[in-house]
Amino acid sequence: LKIISSRYTLIGNKIEENIAVAFSNKIEAIGKLEDLKDQFPTAEIVERENTLLMAGLINAHIHLEFSKNSTELNYGNFVNWLNSVIEKRTELVSSCETECIETVLDSLIKSGTTAIGAISSYGFEFEALKKSPIRKVIFNELIGSQPHQVDALWQNFLSRLEESSEFNSDRSTSSIAIHSPYSVHPILIRKAMEIATKRDIPVSTHFMESQAEREWLDSGKGDFKEFFEKFFNGSKPVNSAENFLNGFSKPIAFTHCNYLSDSELQIFKESNHTVSHCPRSNRLLGSRKLDINKLDSLGIEWNISTDGLSSNSSLSLWDELQTALYLHSDREPKEFAFQLLKSVTEIPAKQLNLNSGKIDIGRDSDLLLIDLKDDNFEDLSYIPLHLILRQYRIEKVFIGGDEVV
Ligand code: BEZ
Ligand code: FE2
């Protein structure tokens, strides 16, 4: 058992001063250092002057397999990007093997990310994920719109799902991602949702990322028409947006959602669906800005995530938070910073069904101790904003109570 005594602690929506936290693999007690010492006389004590303790960050939507990308892909327009992904994916994915993924996972942990929702297209990152102390939900991706490919793709998906289930543990959950409404046949979606419902595992999907997707699903026209003609010798959309949304009987984590209609927003609200917001990826692939004000006014919860290096230049949530802070420029920065920190802790914990994301008794001890140098805070409520602006050094990282950095 350890006791950390820091100058500041982020608990819920508040910065507390001179509070200590006692934890094993779970958080055992929160209080004054002297009281915790009495309660746990044999505990190892870490006392740090100008530091802040907070819950570890959770990146709910990330594609590790594309980590080798730097300058290979086309940016600016979603369908142009997708064309370049299809052209380069074999080369890109096969050039980032286990060691390369391990390096990425290490740097994620060092940047304060203690849990991820890893979208896995091929299962090539399983070995690295298995070894890493990071907490993970592995979203095995189901893709395939063409009827003649459906059986083979289903079998391939099932074998990845089972392979990743073999290392299920308190740190690892094998789960399901449905690629998108334009790329997955409704029969596959129905079969996948049967498994997800029976196993009670979280489900992730991409939805309404581009104007092209909106047009294609609504009218079978636009940039996707040419794309489907090129790769699948002409076809019609396999789902409408409405049918796609009707296929989900449990809350789903939908990534992007830049082009939702009002009726879709109502469905999100009524079904407790949530959103993964990836601002840098959206910027690079030509998507409009997500309307978080609308989501907030309807009580639809959203996280900030990075997506993969196929559409980002960094997997650090601090970089992504900073982008979000500047992007949503109508938000008052001090208050918005609290909401942003929640969007990478408490909210994604709920979406991924994790017991971390919050400093609270009984929660898993995924924690960060951040070195605030000799910076001085007269008004403590500015601390979240400065955490996002200044990228302070993460001095210690704990996952399940283990010190991993
Ligand atoms: C498909 O497999 O049908 C597909 C894959 C990527 C984009 C669109 C469709
Ligand atoms: Fe994605």
Side-chain angles (χ1 to χ4, degrees), residues 61-63 81 119 141 206 209 255-256 278 281 307-308 310-311:
H61 185 89
I62 180 168
H63 302 252
W81 173 82
I119 312 296
E141 191 165 67
H206 297 102
E209 177 172 7
T255 304
H256 303 310
C278 309
S281 175
D307 221 340
S310 39
S311 56

Side-chain angles (χ1 to χ4, degrees), residues 268-304:
F268 270 55
K269 176 185 159 85
E270 283 154 22
S271 309
N272 289 320
H273 294 320
T274 59
V275 174
S276 293
H277 176 26
C278 309
R280 291 171 153 231
S281 175
N282 292 162
R283 172 68 181 94
L284 292 176
L285 306 190
S287 300
R288 76 180 182 195
K289 177 171 129 182
L290 178 71
D291 191 345
I292 57 167
N293 293 336
K294 236 180 209 171
L295 298 183
D296 283 350
S297 71
L298 291 165
I300 299 166
E301 296 196 305
W302 51 270
N303 70 48
I304 293 286

Side-chain angles (χ1 to χ4, degrees), residues 10-127:
L10 176 64
I11 301 183
N13 252 355
K14 235 181 133 214
I15 302 284
E16 304 281 356
E17 205 168 359
N18 300 321
I19 289 278
V21 175
F23 62 96
S24 54
N25 62 332
K26 302 224 183 300
I27 295 171
E28 306 280 350
I30 303 166
K32 290 269 166 235
L33 178 61
E34 294 315 310
D35 296 341
L36 296 191
K37 276 183 177 166
D38 289 345
Q39 201 180 341
F40 306 102
T42 59
E44 175 194 334
I45 293 163
V46 178
E47 261 185 283
R48 287 289 187 279
E49 284 297 308
N50 209 27
T51 56
L52 174 134
L53 187 71
M54 67 176 287
L57 310 185
I58 304 173
N59 193 343
H61 185 89
I62 180 168
H63 302 252
L64 296 166
E65 287 164 314
F66 288 88
S67 295
K68 253 285 154 41
N69 178 60
S70 55
T71 54
E72 281 80 358
L73 301 175
N74 297 343
Y75 288 157
N77 169 286
F78 181 76
V79 175
N80 277 347
W81 173 82
L82 190 58
N83 269 294
S84 68
V85 170
I86 290 179
E87 193 186 319
K88 304 270 178 64
R89 69 182 163 190
T90 310
E91 185 190 324
L92 269 180
V93 164
S94 58
S95 63
C96 190
E97 294 181 330
T98 300
E99 215 173 296
C100 155
I101 309 249
E102 280 174 347
T103 309
V104 173
L105 287 168
D106 283 348
S107 68
L108 276 171
I109 294 173
K110 287 200 178 84
S111 73
T113 301
T114 52
I116 53 173
I119 312 296
S120 174
S121 306
Y122 306 97
F124 293 161
E125 77 287 60
F126 287 175
E127 230 13 74

Side-chain angles (χ1 to χ4, degrees), residues 82 143-145 182-183 227-228 232:
L82 190 58
I143 195 165
S145 60
Y182 58 83
S183 61
F227 174 88
F228 275 95
F232 304 106

Side-chain angles (χ1 to χ4, degrees), residues 104-164:
V104 173
L105 287 168
D106 283 348
S107 68
L108 276 171
I109 294 173
K110 287 200 178 84
S111 73
T113 301
T114 52
I116 53 173
I119 312 296
S120 174
S121 306
Y122 306 97
F124 293 161
E125 77 287 60
F126 287 175
E127 230 13 74
L129 283 173
K130 211 192 305 188
K131 281 198 220 159
S132 171
I134 204 164
R135 203 179 288 285
K136 52 258 172 188
V137 172
I138 304 173
F139 285 113
N140 291 284
E141 191 165 67
L142 180 59
I143 195 165
S145 60
Q146 306 301 303
H148 71 279
Q149 296 178 327
V150 153
D151 287 340
L153 292 167
W154 177 253
Q155 287 311 322
N156 174 283
F157 160 77
L158 274 187
S159 75
R160 286 182 284 122
L161 184 67
E162 293 319 316
E163 193 188 334
S164 50

